[in-house]
Amino acid sequence: MELMHLTVILIGISVFVPRIGALEKLGEPVLFGPSAAIDRSVVDFFCEIPGKPATLSVQYDLYVESNPGKVIATHSSLSGEMATFPLRINTQYDGQLICKASGHNDTDIESSFSKAWDFRVIVPVEAVSIISHPSIENIWEGQTLTLQCKTNKGTYVSYDWFWNGARVQMPYDSNNGTLTIHRVSAQNTGNYVCMASNQFNDTIFNSTSDIVNVHIKEYVSKPEISFDVVKREDGVYTATITCKSQKGAPLNTFSLLNYTDLMITETVDITSVFFNVPIELNRYMGQMRCNASNEGNWILSEPVNLIVETVRGAVTMTPVKHMGLDFQVVRVELRCKVERGTFPHYSWFLNNSRLVGQVGFYAVDWSDESVLSLSLGQDSAGFYHCQATDRFDNSTSIHSPKMLISNEVLNTVSPLVAIVVFTSFALLNIAVIACCIYGVVLRRRYSRKYPLTEQRRKMEITVKQEDEDKEDKDYLFLFEMEDFEEEAIQADRMSDSAEDEDQSVDESVLYEGTVSE
C-alpha cells in the first residue's frame, strides 16, 4: 500500500516539473491598420509579436477596449506569420482596438496585450433638422433662444450656422450643433439654416437643414396719445383719440382711461387704435391716458388734457425781413397766429384774394402758426392779411389787420427814421464837444489848485522825454558822470581844507588877542 502511494507521488512530480519549467510570457504584440474607415466598408488590421520564434504557435484576438468580452476577429499563427484581421466596419468598432496574444491551445503561455489603436468609424451625415427651445412660434424679446442642429445619421460631425444667407458672426461651438442667443430682440428675427458636415480623407459629406424662420415677438411699447376733432352731420363734436405704439406683437389690447376710470377697451392685431368720444367745445373733459398690453406686459401713456378751444382773440401778423447783398429787402416772411384755439386753420389773402398752395412769388407753410414767404416784386405788391378758423368747423373766422407789402415801401426810409438818425448824430457830436470842453476846464482848475504837483508832473514828462532821446548815449554819459563826481569830490575836499585853514587863522588871531588883553 505504501509502495502504491509513493508511485503516485513520483508520477505527479514527473508530470508537473516539466510544465513549471515551460511557463513563459509572450512579448508585447504590435497592432496597426487604418485610423479611420467608412461605415460598412472592409479594411484589414494586422498584429504581430516582434522577435517571436517561428515555431511558437500564437492565438491573436482583436476586440474593442470598451467591450473586452466581445472578440471581433481572431487569427491563429501556427508558423510565425503575421496575424491579419479583415473587418467589415460598423459603428460598434469605433473607439480603441486591442490585440491580445496568447498560446495556441497552450494554457501554459501567459497572454500579452498590444497598445490601444485609435480607430474612427465615419458615418456620412444625413437628414439634418433644427429644434428650437422655446418653440419658434412663441419666442419673446429678452428670452434666451437655443437652436439645436440634429442629424439622423453622422459621426464626427461639425456644424455651421447661417442667418439670412450669411454665416452667423456670434461665437458658437461648432462641434455640438447648438446655437444659443441670449436676450433676443427683433434684430435676431430672420431665417436660420444649419449645415452639418464630416470628412473621410479628401471626401467631404454635408447636409443642410430646412430654413427655420424665427420671428421674435416684441412686447408692446409705451403708447403715444393724441386726438383730433370732427363735426358730425348731426352737429355733435367728437374727439377721435389715437393710441399708438411703435412696436408690439399681436394681439394688443388698448384701453382708454379718464384719470383712473376705464372708458373703452379694444383688442387688435395692429399697434394702434382709435376711440371716439363725444365732447363739448371750450369745456374741460378730463385727463386721458392710454394703456397698452400684450403677453402680460402693460404700459401707460403720458396724460393729455382733453379740451378743445375754438379760435378766439386777436389774430396778429408779424413781418420778418430778409436783406440782400446791397442791404435791400428782397424777401419777407409773414407769420400769422391767433391768440386762442386748439386746432386753428389759417388762410392768406392778397388784396382780398385767397392764396392757395405755392405759386410763383409765394409759399405757404403750416405749423403752430402759418408762415407766408414772399419774394418782393410787382406781382407780390399789395395788401396782405390772414384769417384764422377752426380746422373742424369754418363757420367762424377772425381776420388780422391788413399790411401793405411792396418793394418801394420796404426799401424807402421814412421821414421819422431820418429825423431820428439825424437827431442822434447831432446829440452825439454835442456830447463829444462838451466832453472836450469839460476836460480843458478841469485841467486848468487842477493846475491852479495843485501847482507843485503839476510842475513835478511836467518835469517828470520832460525827464522821460530826454531819457528816451538820449537812450543811445547812456553808456558815455555814465562815464562822464563818474569823472564829474570825482572832480566834485576833489573840489569839495579843497574847499574843506581852505575853510579849515581860515578857521585856524581866525582862532590863532583870536587867541593872540585874548592873551594881549
Side-chain angles (χ1 to χ4, degrees), residues 429-441:
N429 289 333
I430 292 173
V432 172
I433 294 171
C435 289
C436 292
I437 295 173
Y438 179 75
V440 172
V441 174

Side-chain angles (χ1 to χ4, degrees), residues 45 47 58-63 70-77 82-87 98-102 104:
F45 286 88
C47 187
V58 179
Q59 176 77 25
Y60 293 98
D61 295 322
L62 184 66
Y63 63 92
K70 184 177 181 180
V71 177
I72 60 177
T74 185
H75 182 93
S76 297
S77 175
M82 181 186 299
T84 302
F85 304 112
L87 293 179
I98 302 292
C99 177
K100 176 185 176 182
S102 58
H104 180 68

Side-chain angles (χ1 to χ4, degrees), residues 281-283 307-312 340-343 390 392:
L281 300 180
N282 301 314
R283 180 182 175 183
I307 180 172
V308 179
E309 291 185 319
T310 57
V311 290
R312 289 176 291 175
R340 303 286 294 274
T342 306
F343 299 103
D390 291 309
F392 52 86

Side-chain angles (χ1 to χ4, degrees), residues 1-10:
M1 191 68 175
E2 294 179 356
L3 181 62
M4 184 180 294
H5 289 167
L6 180 61
T7 302
V8 172
I9 293 172
L10 292 175

